Amino acid sequence: MSDEQHQNLAIIGHVDHGKSTLVGRLLYETGSVPEHVIEQHKEEAEEKGKGGFEFAYVMDNLAEERERGVTIDIAHQEFSTDAYDFTIVDCPGHRDFVKNMITGASQADNAVLVVAADDGVQPQTQEHVFLARTLGIGELIVAVNKMDLVDYSESDYKQTVEEVKDLLNQVRFDTENASFIPISAFEGDNIAEESDNTGWYDGDILLTALNNLPAPEPPTDAPLRLPIQDVYTISGIGTVPVGRVETGILNTGDNVSFQPSDVAGEVKTVEMHHEEVPKAEPGDNVGFNVRGVGKDDIRRGDVCGPAEDPPSVAETFQAQIVVMQHPSVITEGYTPVFHAHTAQVACTVESIDKKIDPSSGEVAEENPDFIQNGDAAVVTVRPQKPLSIEPSSEIPELGSFAIRDMGQTIAAGKVLSVNER
Ligand SMILES: Nc1nc2c(ncn2[C@@H]2O[C@H](COP(=O)(O)OP(=O)(O)OP(=O)(O)O)[C@@H](O)[C@H]2O)c(=O)[nH]1
Ligand SMILES: [Mg+2]
């Protein structure tokens, strides 16, 4: 990988509209997947009676995904343009797997919305656009796919573009932040080269549009936040917490604080890939040793930050959530498990403050008695054990969460404000 700027890109859209095929094509065109691998996938797809899925198989690695020809879990892949190293997050379109799409979208800076020209806007096109907006996606590139199936017709393209614009207006997504491109992921039109089949189109091809996306806010502006994944004892070194730097810089010699355990010390050594390094940056997975901090003083779910600007610990916090799948209704007093960074803490929904109209983003009801599937709401939440979490507007990396109960993801959300302990 080059030392270009990094960004996470979600690929969203209705089932079968060609998301995985598009990602496979992008990886192929940028040289990230060699031709012989596509050939192997082609043979396997044909054996399974899934001819045409050779590009999708680059992303769909699970046996069940290949048999059914659908994406189930989110998959990550890397490719580069001149400006960026992209991590692509390929989301499933099938409605049963929307919870996986939420996880994918909450990790993304920008997104490509894939809409098939022969099928137009469909339920999960709407749902994904709504979630992308709720979870704070910046720009949207709308890829009008399968242009080969409509004979590269300009009027079919324009009709799809109009449908998508209506949808974006409904959810108040600024259409200034959206661009539209006619493509065929399968045939390779307007992906890496201008297509001869769309002479009527004079906009950017997909790779150019990706290259021109705005840069994500540099995460180094925020103070150090390093959620702890595990704590080891290593002979000769002592206590070694490990985790991924989400924001800021970890330097040897820094005075750091672990919250909510509330212990502090000086960083003696930082190790990455079994080598000692002087500092670690966002995205780096590190192990480090802190003078005076014992193995039982800190734990998974703690967040490490500067001693002079320690991670926030919430007494309560206010959040915007979207309810995805709950068997009945959510009322005040509901106490599911919140998954935020590496922490899992039972939290009580203390009050349901507002219900938001998903189609306008405006307040639909103050203090509703309950919320249910499909609802977006502002809620006040009280963690049952100390939890370190940050407002999404200040440190987005530490400001989103999933809510799980009964073995499934019920809802996802972003922290609006934290009432500190
Ligand atoms: N003709 C044509 N077929 C396409 C194109 N892109 C994708 N397909 C076909 O559409 C089908 C579904 O493609 P996928 O890439 O698996 O779709 P997906 O959006 O990833 O589907 P899910 O992940 O299950 O939501 C496959 O048979 C592809 O070959 C295209 O540009 N033209
Ligand atoms: Mg897919």
Side-chain angles (χ1 to χ4, degrees), residues 16 18-21 56 59-60 69-72 90-93:
D16 266 359
K19 298 174 293 298
S20 300
T21 302
M59 300 309 288
D60 296 342
V70 298
T71 303
I72 295 173
D90 181 25
C91 298

Side-chain angles (χ1 to χ4, degrees), residues 14-21 52-53 56 60 69-71 91-94 145-146 148-149 184-186:
H14 192 71
V15 63
D16 266 359
H17 280 199
K19 298 174 293 298
S20 300
T21 302
F53 273 87
D60 296 342
V70 298
T71 303
C91 298
H94 194 285
N145 190 32
K146 306 200 187 185
D148 54 303
L149 292 185
S184 166
F186 194 69

Side-chain angles (χ1 to χ4, degrees), residues 166-275:
D166 284 349
L167 171 61
L168 297 182
N169 286 330
Q170 267 174 38
V171 302
R172 303 277 156 95
F173 190 98
D174 194 344
T175 45
E176 295 273 298
N177 295 332
S179 54
F180 297 82
I181 310 177
I183 66 162
S184 166
F186 194 69
E187 301 293 343
D189 296 282
N190 292 329
I191 310 280
E193 273 174 54
E194 248 173 69
S195 167
D196 293 336
N197 296 317
T198 53
W200 42 265
Y201 173 74
D202 60 3
D204 286 339
I205 59 169
L206 184 60
L207 276 176
T208 308
L210 291 172
N211 200 52
N212 292 342
L213 280 170
E217 299 287 319
T220 38
D221 280 349
L224 172 70
R225 292 294 184 262
L226 195 176
I228 303 306
Q229 275 157 14
D230 260 310
V231 184
Y232 296 103
T233 308
I234 295 180
S235 61
I237 302 181
T239 305
V240 177
V242 303
R244 179 180 190 268
V245 179
E246 290 294 340
T247 57
I249 312 275
L250 177 74
N251 299 290
T252 49
D254 282 353
N255 282 312
V256 293
S257 157
F258 294 84
Q259 297 296 341
S261 286
D262 200 22
V263 293
E266 185 193 328
V267 177
K268 284 200 299 190
T269 53
V270 180
E271 245 193 49
M272 190 157 58
H273 308 307
H274 308 290
E275 268 177 41

Side-chain angles (χ1 to χ4, degrees), residues 62-222:
L62 303 175
E64 191 189 348
E65 293 182 320
R66 292 189 172 184
E67 295 293 344
R68 292 177 59 181
V70 298
T71 303
I72 295 173
D73 207 351
I74 52 168
H76 296 86
Q77 284 279 2
E78 317 265 328
F79 80 96
S80 302
T81 64
D82 294 341
Y84 297 112
D85 287 337
F86 283 99
T87 299
I88 290 212
V89 189
D90 181 25
C91 298
H94 194 285
R95 66 187 148 77
D96 290 355
F97 309 121
V98 165
K99 61 183 187 296
N100 297 340
M101 181 276 168
I102 294 179
T103 315
S106 67
Q107 297 165 356
D109 301 302
N110 297 302
V112 176
L113 171 68
V114 178
V115 186
D118 64 332
D119 205 24
V121 168
Q122 294 295 325
Q124 272 65 53
T125 319
Q126 284 176 306
E127 190 167 17
H128 284 194
V129 165
F130 169 59
L131 285 168
R133 186 182 172 284
T134 311
L135 298 169
I137 294 278
E139 295 236 350
L140 208 55
I141 295 174
V142 181
V144 177
N145 190 32
K146 306 200 187 185
M147 285 302 296
D148 54 303
L149 292 185
V150 296
D151 297 326
Y152 301 96
S153 143
E154 181 178 14
S155 63
D156 285 18
Y157 168 72
K158 285 197 165 148
Q159 192 189 325
T160 307
V161 168
E162 284 316 307
E163 280 181 29
V164 175
K165 281 191 175 160
D166 284 349
L167 171 61
L168 297 182
N169 286 330
Q170 267 174 38
V171 302
R172 303 277 156 95
F173 190 98
D174 194 344
T175 45
E176 295 273 298
N177 295 332
S179 54
F180 297 82
I181 310 177
I183 66 162
S184 166
F186 194 69
E187 301 293 343
D189 296 282
N190 292 329
I191 310 280
E193 273 174 54
E194 248 173 69
S195 167
D196 293 336
N197 296 317
T198 53
W200 42 265
Y201 173 74
D202 60 3
D204 286 339
I205 59 169
L206 184 60
L207 276 176
T208 308
L210 291 172
N211 200 52
N212 292 342
L213 280 170
E217 299 287 319
T220 38
D221 280 349

